[in-house]
Amino acid sequence: MSQTLGVKFNDYGQVYYFGSGPFVVREGQHVIVKTDQGMGLGKVILVRQAPKEVDDEDPEGHKAIYRLANEKDMEAVAENEALSKDAFKFCRACINNHKLGMKLVDVEVFFDRSKMVFYFTAPGRIDFRELIKDLVKEYRTRIELRQIGVRHETQMLGAIGNCGQMCCCRRFMRKFVPVTIKMAKEQNLFLNPTKISGICGRLLCCLSFEQKGYEEFHRMCPRVGKKYQTSLGQMKVLRSNFFKKSLSLLDENFEEQEVSIDEWNEIVNKPPSDEAKAEAKARSAGPQARRGGRRPVRPDSGGPQSDESGPSGSDTPPRAREAKPARDDRKRRPRKEAPHKADAPEARPEQAAFGPEGGEAGDAKSKRGRRPRRRRRRPPKK
């Protein structure tokens, strides 16, 4: 019976599937497989039995393994690891000599030493042609310099996250998914970069793990800040709680209530009950009764209900008589009568005294009496 094997070539790499072929393989064993890059040694982490009805060696179209690994193969792997450490030190020294703005992360040596891959990070493009010449001259094999991002760097090196455990990218994640600031907003997190960022400086990958649950919860919840008519009266949605699956509501009495999502679906968009109507009626009748009464009048205010009268027995109170004196006692200034338009020349004796010459003198006199008009200074030209 054929088997489907899940093989990993390194701890942080992806899982590739092969067929067992004529071999019987157990989980944890090492196998030699043919890849596009040449021969490779991997570790079996998953064994899945093929259906009994299928007699083919490879029912799902996977390539078969080449053979099982032996002791010599494991010794070759140990030598490759030692070679990768030496290549790491040599490459870092060459980077310092050429003064290149790049950071070397890891060196990978293929099983048959047909190729060496140097992983590095850099803020921009790097001219490493001279570096490649030094590496080829030293190791006499194919050299590849591969630029990676900060997330892949953390995945290769490994680190302890904010939760106190090994980073998810190093432990079990094999592919990175896009993480946006919108996810943090929907999960009601504080938008503090130090709280929502990982070791790599990017947004936490674990935000994407819970995003699907938050999206389903927000579909069931009403919009926050909107008012709804319920069987308990008009309610305003204040906030939602994902962990309790509940809503915080504000009623007409400005009292906060907490209901579950199931209770909200039962009371929303339903006419108010008799108890809610009676309570609203009593609440609305109270302020109207207070506003409907007449304001009391003080006895000394001089209103129409006052029984006080002046010494003469009149109905007008003494304060009112003192505040309003008689119209006959007021002193009026005599109104100046304006001259008629036809009599205007006669009303000016000065103009009539002067003849044609006097008119010029009068104009000069009036000009001397005027206040000279100030000119507005213009700003100097630059």
Side-chain angles (χ1 to χ4, degrees), residues 12 88 91-92 95 100-108 116-129 131-132 135 143-154 156-157:
Y12 53 84
F88 185 88
C91 183
R92 177 173 286 183
I95 290 173
L100 300 177
M102 54 188 294
K103 177 185 176 183
L104 187 63
V105 177
D106 194 10
V107 179
E108 180 183 359
M116 298 176 66
V117 183
F118 294 80
Y119 299 94
F120 71 95
T121 59
R125 297 179 61 88
I126 303 296
D127 185 8
F128 44 72
R129 289 176 291 183
L131 177 62
I132 290 180
L135 296 175
I143 302 296
E144 179 183 353
L145 291 172
R146 187 176 301 176
Q147 186 173 0
I148 60 176
V150 290
R151 287 191 172 185
H152 290 86
E153 178 187 2
T154 307
M156 288 182 176
L157 300 179

mmCIF file of all heavy atoms in Angstrom, residues 12 88 91-92 95 100-108 116-129 131-132 135 143-154 156-157:
data_model
loop_
_atom_site.group_PDB
_atom_site.id
_atom_site.type_symbol
_atom_site.label_atom_id
_atom_site.label_comp_id
_atom_site.label_asym_id
_atom_site.label_seq_id
_atom_site.Cartn_x
_atom_site.Cartn_y
_atom_site.Cartn_z
ATOM 1 N N TYR A 12 11.771 25.845 9.558
ATOM 2 C CA TYR A 12 10.854 26.923 9.255
ATOM 3 C C TYR A 12 10.325 26.873 7.827
ATOM 4 O O TYR A 12 9.614 27.780 7.410
ATOM 5 C CB TYR A 12 11.547 28.275 9.476
ATOM 6 C CG TYR A 12 12.867 28.418 8.756
ATOM 7 C CD1 TYR A 12 12.928 28.813 7.433
ATOM 8 C CD2 TYR A 12 14.054 28.121 9.416
ATOM 9 C CE1 TYR A 12 14.143 28.928 6.779
ATOM 10 C CE2 TYR A 12 15.274 28.236 8.771
ATOM 11 C CZ TYR A 12 15.312 28.640 7.457
ATOM 12 O OH TYR A 12 16.515 28.739 6.805
ATOM 13 N N PHE A 88 29.226 31.681 6.452
ATOM 14 C CA PHE A 88 28.583 32.849 7.063
ATOM 15 C C PHE A 88 29.631 33.840 7.556
ATOM 16 O O PHE A 88 29.535 35.047 7.328
ATOM 17 C CB PHE A 88 27.672 32.384 8.203
ATOM 18 C CG PHE A 88 26.867 33.480 8.832
ATOM 19 C CD1 PHE A 88 25.627 33.821 8.324
ATOM 20 C CD2 PHE A 88 27.339 34.166 9.940
ATOM 21 C CE1 PHE A 88 24.872 34.824 8.910
ATOM 22 C CE2 PHE A 88 26.606 35.170 10.525
ATOM 23 C CZ PHE A 88 25.360 35.505 10.008
ATOM 24 N N CYS A 91 31.520 35.400 4.473
ATOM 25 C CA CYS A 91 30.690 36.375 3.746
ATOM 26 C C CYS A 91 30.539 37.669 4.536
ATOM 27 O O CYS A 91 30.559 38.754 3.950
ATOM 28 C CB CYS A 91 29.331 35.759 3.437
ATOM 29 S SG CYS A 91 28.241 36.820 2.479
ATOM 30 N N ARG A 92 30.399 37.570 5.837
ATOM 31 C CA ARG A 92 30.272 38.789 6.641
ATOM 32 C C ARG A 92 31.564 39.611 6.589
ATOM 33 O O ARG A 92 31.518 40.851 6.528
ATOM 34 C CB ARG A 92 29.944 38.415 8.085
ATOM 35 C CG ARG A 92 29.853 39.601 9.014
ATOM 36 C CD ARG A 92 29.355 39.212 10.387
ATOM 37 N NE ARG A 92 27.932 38.921 10.384
ATOM 38 C CZ ARG A 92 27.239 38.603 11.485
ATOM 39 N NH1 ARG A 92 27.850 38.521 12.663
ATOM 40 N NH2 ARG A 92 25.954 38.347 11.396
ATOM 41 N N ILE A 95 31.600 41.432 3.299
ATOM 42 C CA ILE A 95 30.650 42.559 3.302
ATOM 43 C C ILE A 95 31.285 43.774 3.973
ATOM 44 O O ILE A 95 31.160 44.914 3.498
ATOM 45 C CB ILE A 95 29.346 42.142 4.007
ATOM 46 C CG1 ILE A 95 28.585 41.129 3.154
ATOM 47 C CG2 ILE A 95 28.472 43.362 4.280
ATOM 48 C CD1 ILE A 95 27.372 40.542 3.830
ATOM 49 N N LEU A 100 29.345 47.238 2.181
ATOM 50 C CA LEU A 100 28.009 47.117 1.605
ATOM 51 C C LEU A 100 26.958 47.283 2.696
ATOM 52 O O LEU A 100 27.115 46.772 3.817
ATOM 53 C CB LEU A 100 27.837 45.749 0.932
ATOM 54 C CG LEU A 100 28.802 45.441 -0.220
ATOM 55 C CD1 LEU A 100 28.571 44.030 -0.741
ATOM 56 C CD2 LEU A 100 28.628 46.459 -1.339
ATOM 57 N N GLY A 101 25.890 47.983 2.387
ATOM 58 C CA GLY A 101 24.808 48.211 3.351
ATOM 59 C C GLY A 101 23.813 47.077 3.363
ATOM 60 O O GLY A 101 22.650 47.258 2.989
ATOM 61 N N MET A 102 24.231 45.918 3.794
ATOM 62 C CA MET A 102 23.369 44.729 3.830
ATOM 63 C C MET A 102 23.657 43.950 5.107
ATOM 64 O O MET A 102 24.747 44.062 5.701
ATOM 65 C CB MET A 102 23.603 43.848 2.598
ATOM 66 C CG MET A 102 25.050 43.456 2.385
ATOM 67 S SD MET A 102 25.366 42.611 0.820
ATOM 68 C CE MET A 102 24.468 41.109 1.065
ATOM 69 N N LYS A 103 22.676 43.155 5.531
ATOM 70 C CA LYS A 103 22.784 42.357 6.746
ATOM 71 C C LYS A 103 22.609 40.889 6.378
ATOM 72 O O LYS A 103 21.551 40.495 5.873
ATOM 73 C CB LYS A 103 21.727 42.780 7.765
ATOM 74 C CG LYS A 103 21.729 41.947 9.040
ATOM 75 C CD LYS A 103 20.586 42.352 9.949
ATOM 76 C CE LYS A 103 20.536 41.459 11.180
ATOM 77 N NZ LYS A 103 19.379 41.801 12.051
ATOM 78 N N LEU A 104 23.616 40.087 6.623
ATOM 79 C CA LEU A 104 23.557 38.662 6.323
ATOM 80 C C LEU A 104 22.735 37.945 7.394
ATOM 81 O O LEU A 104 22.971 38.130 8.601
ATOM 82 C CB LEU A 104 24.967 38.079 6.247
ATOM 83 C CG LEU A 104 25.094 36.641 5.777
ATOM 84 C CD1 LEU A 104 24.602 36.504 4.341
ATOM 85 C CD2 LEU A 104 26.536 36.158 5.897
ATOM 86 N N VAL A 105 21.794 37.118 6.964
ATOM 87 C CA VAL A 105 20.887 36.448 7.891
ATOM 88 C C VAL A 105 21.235 34.976 8.048
ATOM 89 O O VAL A 105 21.399 34.471 9.165
ATOM 90 C CB VAL A 105 19.429 36.598 7.415
ATOM 91 C CG1 VAL A 105 18.478 35.848 8.342
ATOM 92 C CG2 VAL A 105 19.049 38.065 7.360
ATOM 93 N N ASP A 106 21.366 34.253 6.942
ATOM 94 C CA ASP A 106 21.604 32.814 7.022
ATOM 95 C C ASP A 106 22.245 32.345 5.723
ATOM 96 O O ASP A 106 22.150 33.019 4.683
ATOM 97 C CB ASP A 106 20.286 32.072 7.266
ATOM 98 C CG ASP A 106 20.515 30.632 7.689
ATOM 99 O OD1 ASP A 106 21.681 30.292 7.971
ATOM 100 O OD2 ASP A 106 19.539 29.845 7.725
ATOM 101 N N VAL A 107 22.881 31.171 5.802
ATOM 102 C CA VAL A 107 23.506 30.528 4.637
ATOM 103 C C VAL A 107 22.982 29.099 4.557
ATOM 104 O O VAL A 107 23.007 28.356 5.553
ATOM 105 C CB VAL A 107 25.041 30.529 4.734
ATOM 106 C CG1 VAL A 107 25.654 29.839 3.513
ATOM 107 C CG2 VAL A 107 25.567 31.949 4.854
ATOM 108 N N GLU A 108 22.504 28.714 3.387
ATOM 109 C CA GLU A 108 21.967 27.367 3.160
ATOM 110 C C GLU A 108 22.847 26.659 2.126
ATOM 111 O O GLU A 108 23.097 27.190 1.042
ATOM 112 C CB GLU A 108 20.523 27.443 2.662
ATOM 113 C CG GLU A 108 19.908 26.088 2.405
ATOM 114 C CD GLU A 108 18.504 26.181 1.833
ATOM 115 O OE1 GLU A 108 18.017 27.324 1.653
ATOM 116 O OE2 GLU A 108 17.907 25.124 1.555
ATOM 117 N N MET A 116 24.858 27.149 -3.071
ATOM 118 C CA MET A 116 24.844 27.797 -1.761
ATOM 119 C C MET A 116 24.012 29.076 -1.875
ATOM 120 O O MET A 116 24.217 29.865 -2.795
ATOM 121 C CB MET A 116 26.260 28.120 -1.279
ATOM 122 C CG MET A 116 27.132 26.888 -1.097
ATOM 123 S SD MET A 116 28.842 27.308 -0.639
ATOM 124 C CE MET A 116 28.572 28.012 0.977
ATOM 125 N N VAL A 117 23.098 29.254 -0.937
ATOM 126 C CA VAL A 117 22.194 30.406 -0.937
ATOM 127 C C VAL A 117 22.505 31.248 0.287
ATOM 128 O O VAL A 117 22.502 30.740 1.426
ATOM 129 C CB VAL A 117 20.717 29.971 -0.937
ATOM 130 C CG1 VAL A 117 19.811 31.188 -1.014
ATOM 131 C CG2 VAL A 117 20.434 29.027 -2.096
ATOM 132 N N PHE A 118 22.771 32.534 0.039
ATOM 133 C CA PHE A 118 23.045 33.499 1.118
ATOM 134 C C PHE A 118 21.837 34.431 1.237
ATOM 135 O O PHE A 118 21.524 35.157 0.285
ATOM 136 C CB PHE A 118 24.314 34.305 0.803
ATOM 137 C CG PHE A 118 25.567 33.482 0.784
ATOM 138 C CD1 PHE A 118 25.907 32.721 -0.323
ATOM 139 C CD2 PHE A 118 26.413 33.471 1.885
ATOM 140 C CE1 PHE A 118 27.066 31.974 -0.340
ATOM 141 C CE2 PHE A 118 27.576 32.720 1.880
ATOM 142 C CZ PHE A 118 27.903 31.966 0.763
ATOM 143 N N TYR A 119 21.177 34.399 2.385
ATOM 144 C CA TYR A 119 19.994 35.230 2.634
ATOM 145 C C TYR A 119 20.441 36.505 3.354
ATOM 146 O O TYR A 119 21.200 36.442 4.333
ATOM 147 C CB TYR A 119 18.973 34.483 3.487
ATOM 148 C CG TYR A 119 18.446 33.219 2.841
ATOM 149 C CD1 TYR A 119 19.030 31.983 3.123
ATOM 150 C CD2 TYR A 119 17.371 33.258 1.960
ATOM 151 C CE1 TYR A 119 18.542 30.816 2.540
ATOM 152 C CE2 TYR A 119 16.886 32.097 1.370
ATOM 153 C CZ TYR A 119 17.482 30.887 1.664
ATOM 154 O OH TYR A 119 17.019 29.738 1.079
ATOM 155 N N PHE A 120 19.945 37.652 2.906
ATOM 156 C CA PHE A 120 20.325 38.928 3.511
ATOM 157 C C PHE A 120 19.149 39.887 3.445
ATOM 158 O O PHE A 120 18.190 39.696 2.675
ATOM 159 C CB PHE A 120 21.541 39.537 2.792
ATOM 160 C CG PHE A 120 21.243 40.056 1.413
ATOM 161 C CD1 PHE A 120 20.941 41.399 1.195
ATOM 162 C CD2 PHE A 120 21.253 39.200 0.319
ATOM 163 C CE1 PHE A 120 20.661 41.877 -0.071
ATOM 164 C CE2 PHE A 120 20.978 39.672 -0.947
ATOM 165 C CZ PHE A 120 20.685 41.006 -1.145
ATOM 166 N N THR A 121 19.219 40.921 4.258
ATOM 167 C CA THR A 121 18.236 42.009 4.256
ATOM 168 C C THR A 121 18.962 43.309 3.971
ATOM 169 O O THR A 121 20.119 43.492 4.367
ATOM 170 C CB THR A 121 17.509 42.112 5.606
ATOM 171 O OG1 THR A 121 18.468 42.346 6.638
ATOM 172 C CG2 THR A 121 16.720 40.847 5.907
ATOM 173 N N ALA A 122 18.270 44.231 3.309
ATOM 174 C CA ALA A 122 18.849 45.532 2.963
ATOM 175 C C ALA A 122 17.721 46.511 2.724
ATOM 176 O O ALA A 122 16.627 46.125 2.274
ATOM 177 C CB ALA A 122 19.737 45.421 1.725
ATOM 178 N N PRO A 123 17.939 47.799 3.006
ATOM 179 C CA PRO A 123 16.877 48.794 2.783
ATOM 180 C C PRO A 123 16.611 49.073 1.321
ATOM 181 O O PRO A 123 15.534 49.551 0.967
ATOM 182 C CB PRO A 123 17.402 50.044 3.503
ATOM 183 C CG PRO A 123 18.893 49.868 3.531
ATOM 184 C CD PRO A 123 19.129 48.402 3.637
ATOM 185 N N GLY A 124 17.559 48.799 0.453
ATOM 186 C CA GLY A 124 17.369 49.070 -0.972
ATOM 187 C C GLY A 124 18.163 48.084 -1.811
ATOM 188 O O GLY A 124 18.532 46.991 -1.362
ATOM 189 N N ARG A 125 18.422 48.467 -3.045
ATOM 190 C CA ARG A 125 19.176 47.613 -3.956
ATOM 191 C C ARG A 125 20.670 47.704 -3.619
ATOM 192 O O ARG A 125 21.187 48.771 -3.309
ATOM 193 C CB ARG A 125 18.933 48.018 -5.411
ATOM 194 C CG ARG A 125 17.477 47.855 -5.846
ATOM 195 C CD ARG A 125 17.303 48.290 -7.294
ATOM 196 N NE ARG A 125 18.097 47.486 -8.200
ATOM 197 C CZ ARG A 125 17.696 46.344 -8.764
ATOM 198 N NH1 ARG A 125 16.495 45.863 -8.470
ATOM 199 N NH2 ARG A 125 18.479 45.689 -9.598
ATOM 200 N N ILE A 126 21.343 46.556 -3.723
ATOM 201 C CA ILE A 126 22.756 46.444 -3.391
ATOM 202 C C ILE A 126 23.514 45.939 -4.619
ATOM 203 O O ILE A 126 23.079 44.984 -5.285
ATOM 204 C CB ILE A 126 22.987 45.502 -2.194
ATOM 205 C CG1 ILE A 126 22.185 45.979 -0.971
ATOM 206 C CG2 ILE A 126 24.462 45.414 -1.851
ATOM 207 C CD1 ILE A 126 22.613 47.316 -0.443
ATOM 208 N N ASP A 127 24.640 46.555 -4.894
ATOM 209 C CA ASP A 127 25.524 46.105 -5.967
ATOM 210 C C ASP A 127 26.540 45.143 -5.358
ATOM 211 O O ASP A 127 27.566 45.548 -4.794
ATOM 212 C CB ASP A 127 26.225 47.304 -6.616
ATOM 213 C CG ASP A 127 27.067 46.897 -7.810
ATOM 214 O OD1 ASP A 127 26.975 45.718 -8.223
ATOM 215 O OD2 ASP A 127 27.827 47.748 -8.318
ATOM 216 N N PHE A 128 26.246 43.828 -5.430
ATOM 217 C CA PHE A 128 27.101 42.821 -4.798
ATOM 218 C C PHE A 128 27.850 41.975 -5.839
ATOM 219 O O PHE A 128 28.118 40.788 -5.611
ATOM 220 C CB PHE A 128 26.273 41.906 -3.889
ATOM 221 C CG PHE A 128 24.971 41.456 -4.477
ATOM 222 C CD1 PHE A 128 24.927 40.530 -5.504
ATOM 223 C CD2 PHE A 128 23.789 41.964 -4.000
ATOM 224 C CE1 PHE A 128 23.731 40.108 -6.040
ATOM 225 C CE2 PHE A 128 22.580 41.552 -4.530
ATOM 226 C CZ PHE A 128 22.558 40.609 -5.552
ATOM 227 N N ARG A 129 28.191 42.560 -6.970
ATOM 228 C CA ARG A 129 28.919 41.793 -7.985
ATOM 229 C C ARG A 129 30.305 41.403 -7.502
ATOM 230 O O ARG A 129 30.764 40.268 -7.736
ATOM 231 C CB ARG A 129 29.001 42.621 -9.267
ATOM 232 C CG ARG A 129 27.659 42.745 -9.992
ATOM 233 C CD ARG A 129 27.774 43.647 -11.201
ATOM 234 N NE ARG A 129 27.995 45.052 -10.793
ATOM 235 C CZ ARG A 129 28.080 46.050 -11.666
ATOM 236 N NH1 ARG A 129 27.971 45.829 -12.974
ATOM 237 N NH2 ARG A 129 28.275 47.293 -11.231
ATOM 238 N N LEU A 131 31.156 40.979 -4.420
ATOM 239 C CA LEU A 131 30.991 39.993 -3.350
ATOM 240 C C LEU A 131 30.795 38.598 -3.925
ATOM 241 O O LEU A 131 31.346 37.605 -3.401
ATOM 242 C CB LEU A 131 29.797 40.398 -2.476
ATOM 243 C CG LEU A 131 29.423 39.442 -1.344
ATOM 244 C CD1 LEU A 131 30.579 39.319 -0.351
ATOM 245 C CD2 LEU A 131 28.156 39.918 -0.644
ATOM 246 N N ILE A 132 30.040 38.477 -4.995
ATOM 247 C CA ILE A 132 29.816 37.171 -5.608
ATOM 248 C C ILE A 132 31.128 36.605 -6.150
ATOM 249 O O ILE A 132 31.407 35.394 -6.053
ATOM 250 C CB ILE A 132 28.762 37.281 -6.722
ATOM 251 C CG1 ILE A 132 27.381 37.555 -6.106
ATOM 252 C CG2 ILE A 132 28.717 36.008 -7.553
ATOM 253 C CD1 ILE A 132 26.285 37.684 -7.125
ATOM 254 N N LEU A 135 32.999 35.047 -3.298
ATOM 255 C CA LEU A 135 32.396 33.797 -2.822
ATOM 256 C C LEU A 135 32.619 32.652 -3.802
ATOM 257 O O LEU A 135 32.896 31.509 -3.388
ATOM 258 C CB LEU A 135 30.894 34.010 -2.585
ATOM 259 C CG LEU A 135 30.520 35.006 -1.482
ATOM 260 C CD1 LEU A 135 29.015 35.203 -1.433
ATOM 261 C CD2 LEU A 135 31.043 34.550 -0.123
ATOM 262 N N ILE A 143 26.586 30.243 -6.547
ATOM 263 C CA ILE A 143 26.289 31.140 -5.431
ATOM 264 C C ILE A 143 25.039 31.947 -5.779
ATOM 265 O O ILE A 143 24.920 32.480 -6.888
ATOM 266 C CB ILE A 143 27.465 32.087 -5.135
ATOM 267 C CG1 ILE A 143 28.732 31.297 -4.813
ATOM 268 C CG2 ILE A 143 27.115 33.034 -4.001
ATOM 269 C CD1 ILE A 143 28.643 30.467 -3.566
ATOM 270 N N GLU A 144 24.137 32.029 -4.824
ATOM 271 C CA GLU A 144 22.922 32.838 -4.985
ATOM 272 C C GLU A 144 22.765 33.737 -3.764
ATOM 273 O O GLU A 144 22.790 33.252 -2.619
ATOM 274 C CB GLU A 144 21.686 31.958 -5.151
ATOM 275 C CG GLU A 144 20.403 32.774 -5.302
ATOM 276 C CD GLU A 144 19.164 31.906 -5.403
ATOM 277 O OE1 GLU A 144 19.308 30.668 -5.488
ATOM 278 O OE2 GLU A 144 18.044 32.460 -5.368
ATOM 279 N N LEU A 145 22.602 35.035 -4.019
ATOM 280 C CA LEU A 145 22.309 36.003 -2.957
ATOM 281 C C LEU A 145 20.833 36.372 -3.056
ATOM 282 O O LEU A 145 20.387 36.919 -4.073
ATOM 283 C CB LEU A 145 23.183 37.243 -3.097
ATOM 284 C CG LEU A 145 24.673 37.040 -2.804
ATOM 285 C CD1 LEU A 145 25.465 38.283 -3.157
ATOM 286 C CD2 LEU A 145 24.887 36.689 -1.341
ATOM 287 N N ARG A 146 20.075 36.068 -2.007
ATOM 288 C CA ARG A 146 18.617 36.259 -2.027
ATOM 289 C C ARG A 146 18.232 37.269 -0.941
ATOM 290 O O ARG A 146 18.504 37.048 0.248
ATOM 291 C CB ARG A 146 17.900 34.937 -1.797
ATOM 292 C CG ARG A 146 16.395 34.998 -1.956
ATOM 293 C CD ARG A 146 15.791 33.615 -1.802
ATOM 294 N NE ARG A 146 16.318 32.672 -2.790
ATOM 295 C CZ ARG A 146 16.005 31.374 -2.821
ATOM 296 N NH1 ARG A 146 15.192 30.864 -1.900
ATOM 297 N NH2 ARG A 146 16.530 30.598 -3.756
ATOM 298 N N GLN A 147 17.581 38.342 -1.369
ATOM 299 C CA GLN A 147 17.139 39.374 -0.425
ATOM 300 C C GLN A 147 15.764 39.010 0.124
ATOM 301 O O GLN A 147 14.853 38.657 -0.636
ATOM 302 C CB GLN A 147 17.083 40.743 -1.116
ATOM 303 C CG GLN A 147 16.769 41.896 -0.181
ATOM 304 C CD GLN A 147 16.886 43.235 -0.869
ATOM 305 O OE1 GLN A 147 17.214 43.309 -2.060
ATOM 306 N NE2 GLN A 147 16.619 44.299 -0.136
ATOM 307 N N ILE A 148 15.599 39.092 1.433
ATOM 308 C CA ILE A 148 14.352 38.733 2.091
ATOM 309 C C ILE A 148 13.868 39.913 2.918
ATOM 310 O O ILE A 148 14.576 40.910 3.099
ATOM 311 C CB ILE A 148 14.537 37.486 2.995
ATOM 312 C CG1 ILE A 148 15.594 37.775 4.063
ATOM 313 C CG2 ILE A 148 14.903 36.269 2.160
ATOM 314 C CD1 ILE A 148 15.775 36.653 5.069
ATOM 315 N N GLY A 149 12.643 39.800 3.430
ATOM 316 C CA GLY A 149 12.056 40.841 4.271
ATOM 317 C C GLY A 149 12.301 40.589 5.749
ATOM 318 O O GLY A 149 12.874 39.564 6.160
ATOM 319 N N VAL A 150 11.829 41.532 6.560
ATOM 320 C CA VAL A 150 12.062 41.427 8.006
ATOM 321 C C VAL A 150 11.252 40.293 8.620
ATOM 322 O O VAL A 150 11.660 39.688 9.616
ATOM 323 C CB VAL A 150 11.732 42.765 8.687
ATOM 324 C CG1 VAL A 150 12.755 43.822 8.320
ATOM 325 C CG2 VAL A 150 10.334 43.244 8.326
ATOM 326 N N ARG A 151 10.109 39.963 8.032
ATOM 327 C CA ARG A 151 9.319 38.851 8.565
ATOM 328 C C ARG A 151 10.021 37.516 8.327
ATOM 329 O O ARG A 151 10.044 36.649 9.212
ATOM 330 C CB ARG A 151 7.933 38.850 7.932
ATOM 331 C CG ARG A 151 7.037 39.974 8.439
ATOM 332 C CD ARG A 151 5.619 39.771 7.995
ATOM 333 N NE ARG A 151 4.718 40.732 8.624
ATOM 334 C CZ ARG A 151 3.397 40.722 8.495
ATOM 335 N NH1 ARG A 151 2.827 39.812 7.747
ATOM 336 N NH2 ARG A 151 2.659 41.623 9.107
ATOM 337 N N HIS A 152 10.577 37.338 7.139
ATOM 338 C CA HIS A 152 11.309 36.112 6.867
ATOM 339 C C HIS A 152 12.575 36.031 7.722
ATOM 340 O O HIS A 152 13.002 34.933 8.100
ATOM 341 C CB HIS A 152 11.653 36.036 5.384
ATOM 342 C CG HIS A 152 10.468 35.796 4.506
ATOM 343 N ND1 HIS A 152 9.683 36.823 4.045
ATOM 344 C CD2 HIS A 152 9.939 34.644 4.004
ATOM 345 C CE1 HIS A 152 8.721 36.328 3.297
ATOM 346 N NE2 HIS A 152 8.841 35.005 3.249
ATOM 347 N N GLU A 153 13.164 37.175 8.022
ATOM 348 C CA GLU A 153 14.338 37.175 8.897
ATOM 349 C C GLU A 153 13.978 36.672 10.279
ATOM 350 O O GLU A 153 14.688 35.844 10.874
ATOM 351 C CB GLU A 153 14.913 38.592 8.979
ATOM 352 C CG GLU A 153 16.110 38.715 9.893
ATOM 353 C CD GLU A 153 16.547 40.151 10.078
ATOM 354 O OE1 GLU A 153 15.895 41.052 9.525
ATOM 355 O OE2 GLU A 153 17.551 40.375 10.794
ATOM 356 N N THR A 154 12.863 37.151 10.833
ATOM 357 C CA THR A 154 12.413 36.677 12.148
ATOM 358 C C THR A 154 12.053 35.198 12.093
ATOM 359 O O THR A 154 12.288 34.454 13.052
ATOM 360 C CB THR A 154 11.214 37.505 12.610
ATOM 361 O OG1 THR A 154 11.540 38.890 12.560
ATOM 362 C CG2 THR A 154 10.816 37.137 14.020
ATOM 363 N N MET A 156 13.463 32.927 10.203
ATOM 364 C CA MET A 156 14.692 32.131 10.162
ATOM 365 C C MET A 156 15.421 32.125 11.493
ATOM 366 O O MET A 156 15.893 31.078 11.953
ATOM 367 C CB MET A 156 15.617 32.683 9.075
ATOM 368 C CG MET A 156 15.156 32.412 7.669
ATOM 369 S SD MET A 156 16.343 33.045 6.469
ATOM 370 C CE MET A 156 15.607 32.479 4.936
ATOM 371 N N LEU A 157 15.519 33.281 12.120
ATOM 372 C CA LEU A 157 16.292 33.382 13.358
ATOM 373 C C LEU A 157 15.502 32.921 14.572
ATOM 374 O O LEU A 157 16.061 32.335 15.500
ATOM 375 C CB LEU A 157 16.755 34.833 13.559
ATOM 376 C CG LEU A 157 17.641 35.405 12.453
ATOM 377 C CD1 LEU A 157 17.999 36.848 12.763
ATOM 378 C CD2 LEU A 157 18.898 34.575 12.274
#
